[in-house]
Amino acid sequence: MDRALHPSDTIATRPARRLLRTLVWAEAVFRTVRERRQLMSLDEHGLKDIGMSRADAYCEWSRPFWDVPRDR
């Protein structure tokens, strides 16, 4: 993939952009882990309200922490 450099994309800004992408990813990971923890705290009635079973919730909970949905 050929990526054209923007005039402001200097050697000094590349590490900053990489750091920003890493921080955004880390925030998405923490948010996803928190949401999975909240999902596991729901009782059977709460899970039924959102159309999930306990097995579905456990399957989501058991995914690796770095497995973040793309819409994050």
Side-chain angles (χ1 to χ4, degrees):
M1 182 167 110
D2 188 21
R3 188 179 95 135
L5 293 178
H6 190 273
S8 67
D9 193 16
T10 64
I11 291 173
T13 62
R14 290 180 197 151
R17 288 176 191 250
R18 194 171 310 129
L19 176 61
L20 181 61
R21 281 194 309 266
T22 302
L23 291 174
V24 167
W25 176 81
E27 193 274 328
V29 166
F30 284 112
R31 184 179 38 212
T32 301
V33 168
R34 182 179 61 242
E35 290 171 359
R36 289 175 180 163
R37 191 178 316 119
Q38 291 170 342
L39 181 65
M40 287 303 291
S41 71
L42 292 175
D43 62 2
E44 298 303 320
H45 181 72
L47 289 170
K48 185 178 176 184
D49 280 348
I50 62 172
M52 293 186 82
S53 67
R54 179 60 59 193
D56 294 333
Y58 183 75
C59 185
E60 181 65 28
W61 169 254
S62 62
R63 291 170 62 177
F65 72 89
W66 63 83
D67 189 4
V68 177
R70 287 200 173 259
D71 62 348
R72 294 285 155 163

